[in-house]
Amino acid sequence: MLLQIGPRPEAAEAVLAGPPPAAAGGGWVTLPEVGPPSARPVSVTAGGLPLVLCSVRGTLYAYRDQCAACGAGLGDARLDREVLACPCGASYDVTRAGRGLGEENLHLDPLPLVSDSQGIRVAVPAAVSS
């Protein structure tokens, strides 16, 4: 299955007018108020998709809320600087697109995130039929 994030190139004019509304087909979704960034990961849902938000040195990162090693949610994971450690023992570098730090070639699924005067928005992918 392929995933598409955002509009197709032929919809470039719509992108210039602002982010597309969220729908079953994906798009930009405004997140609920999560409070100031902290040293703990925060679990939220955007467009029906469970996410985990991490703040590292004032920068927010969004990932699908699922450990690549065990499949569990990462709301109970520990964030130490830029390393997110799942209770199962798997660790990921939040600042490097969720790259796994173990011997396995694991990684988290990063999602585009924008924080501006309109709030915090994340691009929720749409499934694209092949």
Side-chain angles (χ1 to χ4, degrees):
M1 171 173 37
L2 298 174
L3 295 177
Q4 175 183 327
I5 299 177
R8 292 187 171 89
E10 63 266 19
E13 296 82 24
V15 171
L16 295 176
W28 290 92
V29 176
T30 301
L31 298 179
E33 179 61 40
V34 294
S38 71
R40 297 184 55 108
V42 176
S43 295
V44 297
T45 301
L49 182 67
L51 306 175
V52 64
L53 300 177
C54 299
S55 176
V56 177
R57 293 183 293 279
T59 301
L60 286 174
Y61 298 88
Y63 294 93
R64 215 178 273 258
D65 191 7
Q66 184 176 27
C67 175
C70 71
L74 294 166
D76 292 330
R78 191 179 74 255
L79 184 61
D80 183 17
R81 295 186 187 142
E82 65 273 351
V83 176
L84 183 64
C86 180
C88 78
S91 296
Y92 306 93
D93 188 329
V94 171
T95 63
R96 292 203 163 88
R99 185 185 79 195
L101 298 176
E103 292 183 23
E104 304 86 20
N105 190 19
L106 300 175
H107 66 86
L108 298 177
D109 292 326
L111 296 168
L113 181 138
V114 173
S115 179
D116 59 16
S117 63
Q118 296 178 10
I120 301 171
R121 294 171 286 153
V122 66
V124 176
V128 177
S129 57
S130 53

